[in-house]
Amino acid sequence: MNIVVAIKHIPSIADDVPVKGNNVDFDSVDFVLNEWDEHSIEQAVLIKEAVGGTVTVIGVDLIGELDNALHLALAKGADKVVKITADDPAADSHMQAKWLSEAIKGMGANMVFAGVQASNDLDGQIGPMIAAYLDMPYIGGVSSVEANSDSATVNKEFAGGAGAKYSVSMPFVAGVQAAPKPPRYAPVSKVRQMAQSATVEKVAPSGDASSGLTFKKMAPPVVTGHAEMIEGSSKEVAAKIVELLKSKGLA
Amino acid sequence: MSNDILVITEHMDGKFSDVSFELVGKAKELAKALGGQAAAVVVGGGVDANVFASDSTIQVDDAALSQFNPEAYAKVVEALVKEKSPKVVMFGWTVTGMDIAAWLSARLGVPCAAYAKDVRVEGGGIVVSCQAYGGKLTAEVAPEGETAIVACLAGSFPAEAGQGATAAEKIASPVDLSGLKMKFIEMVKPAGGDVDITAQTKLVSVGRGIGGKENIELAEELAAKLGAVVSASRPVVDAGWLPRTRQVGKSGLKVKPKLYLMLGISGAPEHLEGMKGAELIIAINTDKKAPIFNVAHYGATADLFEVAEAMLELL
Ligand SMILES: Cc1cc2nc3c(=O)[nH]c(=O)nc-3n(C[C@H](O)[C@H](O)[C@H](O)COP(=O)(O)OP(=O)(O)OC[C@H]3O[C@@H](n4cnc5c(N)ncnc54)[C@H](O)[C@@H]3O)c2cc1C
């Protein structure tokens, strides 16, 4: 089984996301791996463990710092890692999906996985776009994939624990929402070992696409309401909450 | 090309989701401002489609569309968009809309604005407000070209404006649906046997800030003292700390309790979809800029463990 996982390096939302002009201030933000990519890598490695095959992880290197994420993927069980050397932190999903598709095209993938979404997917996610560019079907919200010989049984989630099972012939693209197991932990020593020994294949970006969106403004949301903040030490906060709940007959 | 708006509605088990009505309501307003018509598109049968306030409704009926099938639905929508050249195609940014909107955008080479919270007409075109970066930033974007796709977050517009009784015109699939690569096998029902969080008046809801499975007990204790039940954000469930039946949000359950006490939940748009109707929302979070504070009624920038333990002593 030949599985390709397309990942996205994105601005971290752990802290404030700084803005410059009409876009994120890419120079003063940390880039991190999209959280759903951890699930698609895990799903790919689980399939490899079940039926054999190879897992290739590929991403666009936007700021020259993708290696960390790629070494981590290797430590978790990927066999091969590829970076598209773009050096364009503002590349949108369309652009990245196009570059990724061009690079994936010759890989003979049976399945391509991507995270179901990323927090900066203003113009949509890369998964369905890669599917469109490669003329493969796309299924998102995926919570498990079992590979058979030339098809896979795919679970798609709807809501509230409901979902549906599909049989999908290969090749196809899946947007992974959650792997059947929580993403595994890779020990730092193993990641470090990969950083020293592994080769990251480099590919130049090829192809052109654009979101067709003009950014008119980017700013923290205009807040129409804000919580009434309860100040004080944790003990004082607790006392005030308990008092509030009692006054409303809720405690 | 036209100034029409095409709304791709969503239904399951014979019922339309609220977002369908929300989109139709908004589409009417936009169509009026643009001088076009708002058309609702219903893909698949098994549902009474005469329920929208749209200018027209088309229902595409075919055996291959009897259950949601991302490939078949995408093909049908693509054919309709090509045929009708609307100015705007509206989707819900939902577990089904997300399968099609961006695919269609790349397929047809037309822009897509996702995470949309609002759409307005400006100078004959549209401007879309999108809530990106986990709700930390809002972007205003203007799509170029003659057709644009807008994928809207559920709960962005009132549903009432989209409710009506326009008679639907039934049509056969505009595209050949034989030879699909994707086949629906069966529905997967939610696991039963757990408490129903949608039936609770009080919820203590934990997020990733709870840190680990071993800390769920603290939330359980606090909930027990309050006569509440513990619910959670998605990462807590994905990590296996609580069962799927406890998940609140877009891909979880929608709850409307009298009390929703949040411990270590950031307030991502996907979580808000499930709980913003709660009567009293109290959020404890160490990040004073957590988006949840824009939605909660009361908040405290504090450590959830310290606050929960102090509350236990007082209750
Ligand atoms: C298609 C789709 C569907 C989704 N459906 C859902 C859904 O149904 N429900 C859902 O919840 N999410 C859903 N998500 C995920 C959603 O995007 C967010 O990832 C998720 O809501 C974040 O959960 P969280 O707030 O617990 O975690 P985080 O965003 O990581 O937030 C953790 C918070 O805890 C705070 N914190 C940390 N330590 C402490 C402490 N000691 N004391 C106090 N605060 C602390 C941090 O400041 C932070 O704000 C969905 C995503 C997708 C793509």
Side-chain angles (χ1 to χ4, degrees):
Chain A
M1 207 48 60
N2 182 353
I3 311 167
V4 174
V5 183
I7 61 171
K8 222 180 166 197
H9 213 204
I10 61 169
S12 167
I13 56 168
D15 280 313
D16 281 355
V17 185
V19 173
K20 192 169 161 190
N22 291 336
N23 211 334
V24 167
D25 181 1
F26 297 107
D27 290 334
S28 44
V29 72
D30 286 336
F31 274 69
V32 295
L33 183 63
N34 171 29
E35 97 172 76
W36 288 282
D37 295 351
E38 306 215 16
H39 286 271
S40 50
I41 293 171
E42 181 64 31
Q43 176 63 81
V45 175
L46 287 173
I47 295 173
K48 181 180 102 163
E49 287 169 350
V51 302
T54 55
V55 173
T56 305
V57 174
I58 179 168
V60 178
D61 196 2
L62 300 167
I63 54 159
E65 289 177 9
L66 190 65
D67 283 8
N68 289 340
L70 296 174
H71 294 144
L72 185 66
L74 287 167
K76 289 182 172 199
D79 303 285
K80 197 179 143 191
V81 291
V82 183
K83 64 177 175 189
I84 298 170
T85 49
D87 223 2
D88 175 8
D92 54 38
S93 294
H94 282 77
M95 192 69 261
Q96 293 195 44
K98 188 71 184 182
W99 290 333
L100 287 161
S101 319
E102 290 298 319
I104 294 170
K105 213 181 241 173
M107 292 184 178
N110 300 109
M111 298 183 265
V112 179
F113 294 164
V116 64
Q117 73 171 32
S119 65
N120 66 346
D121 283 341
L122 276 162
D123 56 327
Q125 329 91 301
I126 59 167
M129 294 183 202
I130 292 173
Y133 293 139
L134 293 178
D135 203 15
M136 293 181 190
Y138 175 79
I139 181 165
V142 168
S143 59
S144 80
V145 181
E146 266 171 58
N148 315 315
S149 57
D150 54 3
S151 71
T153 307
V154 179
N155 240 71
K156 174 178 171 62
E157 279 189 21
F158 294 132
K165 222 182 239 180
Y166 297 85
S167 163
V168 189
S169 357
M170 295 172 188
F172 66 90
V173 182
V176 177
Q177 171 88 55
K181 287 188 192 162
R184 70 194 65 196
Y185 172 78
V188 182
S189 58
K190 200 160 173 200
V191 182
R192 209 172 288 146
Q193 185 193 327
M194 290 300 168
Q196 279 157 9
S197 60
T199 357
V200 175
E201 190 184 315
K202 287 189 208 165
V203 176
S206 142
D208 197 17
S210 146
S211 70
L213 297 178
T214 306
F215 285 59
K216 294 174 71 85
K217 195 174 153 191
M218 176 101 71
V222 180
V223 178
T224 43
H226 194 277
E228 188 175 316
M229 296 307 281
I230 305 171
E231 308 292 342
S233 68
S234 294
K235 281 214 162 92
E236 287 163 345
V237 166
K240 285 181 196 162
I241 294 176
V242 170
E243 196 179 306
L244 175 72
L245 295 181
K246 285 193 171 150
S247 76
K248 297 195 181 266
L250 291 166
Chain B
M1 78 145 237
S2 71
N3 280 325
D4 296 344
I5 317 275
L6 220 52
V7 176
I8 313 304
T9 64
E10 308 181 351
H11 59 96
M12 195 147 284
D13 297 331
K15 258 191 77 196
F16 286 98
S17 58
D18 289 347
V19 72
S20 301
F21 297 100
E22 294 163 17
L23 296 178
V24 169
K26 188 69 190 178
K28 280 185 65 182
E29 180 195 315
L30 294 173
K32 202 168 164 200
L34 289 164
Q37 304 262 300
V41 173
V42 179
V43 185
V47 63
D48 173 9
N50 308 328
V51 293
F52 293 108
S54 45
D55 295 309
S56 64
T57 300
I58 313 162
Q59 183 169 28
V60 187
D61 208 353
D62 188 290
L65 305 171
S66 61
Q67 301 285 350
F68 180 73
N69 178 322
E71 184 190 15
Y73 276 50
K75 285 192 166 169
V76 167
V77 172
E78 180 192 14
L80 288 175
V81 171
K82 278 189 177 157
E83 180 190 315
K84 303 199 178 290
S85 312
K87 176 110 183 153
V88 183
V89 187
M90 295 178 87
F91 287 92
W93 185 245
T94 59
V95 289
T96 53
M98 288 173 76
D99 278 15
I100 306 175
W103 175 85
L104 188 65
S105 165
R107 181 92 176 163
L108 300 179
V110 302
C112 169
Y115 293 102
K117 280 292 286 176
D118 202 8
V119 191
R120 61 173 198 270
V121 172
E122 211 177 271
I126 58 165
V127 175
V128 188
S129 288
C130 306
Q131 188 177 25
Y133 296 95
K136 291 217 163 168
L137 293 178
T138 301
E140 290 211 340
V141 299
E144 296 153 12
E146 298 187 335
T147 296
I149 295 164
V150 179
C152 301
L153 294 166
S156 299
F157 317 112
E160 296 73 36
Q163 290 160 352
T166 302
E169 179 202 347
K170 286 203 174 153
I171 62 166
S173 173
V175 56
D176 179 17
L177 294 174
S178 58
L180 291 174
K181 297 177 88 186
M182 212 174 272
K183 293 203 168 51
F184 173 89
I185 305 176
E186 61 183 6
M187 287 300 291
V188 180
K189 294 275 172 241
D194 192 20
V195 289
D196 177 3
I197 57 168
T198 64
Q200 304 300 318
T201 51
K202 299 178 202 173
L203 292 170
V204 171
S205 209
V206 296
R208 187 148 36 199
I210 196 80
K213 194 169 188 167
E214 64 284 4
N215 299 329
I216 299 288
E217 205 183 317
L218 176 65
E220 294 281 6
E221 268 177 59
L222 182 59
K225 286 257 170 119
L226 289 169
V229 156
V230 176
S231 58
S233 68
R234 176 152 195 139
V236 170
V237 172
D238 283 347
W241 304 340
L242 277 169
R244 187 68 64 197
T245 40
R246 303 294 181 101
Q247 185 189 321
V248 172
K250 181 190 202 117
S251 53
L253 294 160
K254 313 262 180 293
V255 298
K256 259 191 179 172
K258 285 195 174 13
L259 170 65
Y260 195 70
L261 176 60
M262 307 175 73
L263 307 176
I265 299 181
S266 63
E270 294 86 2
H271 189 79
L272 302 184
E273 273 186 38
M275 47 59 71
K276 56 182 179 200
E279 281 175 39
L280 177 64
I281 303 170
I282 305 178
I284 314 292
N285 197 307
T286 39
D287 174 7
K288 69 174 189 298
K289 298 232 171 113
I292 192 57
F293 292 134
N294 301 334
V295 177
H297 302 102
Y298 292 89
T301 312
D303 179 77
L304 72 91
F305 300 104
E306 289 177 20
V307 173
E309 274 168 22
M311 281 182 75
L312 278 175
E313 278 173 26
L314 296 168
L315 286 164

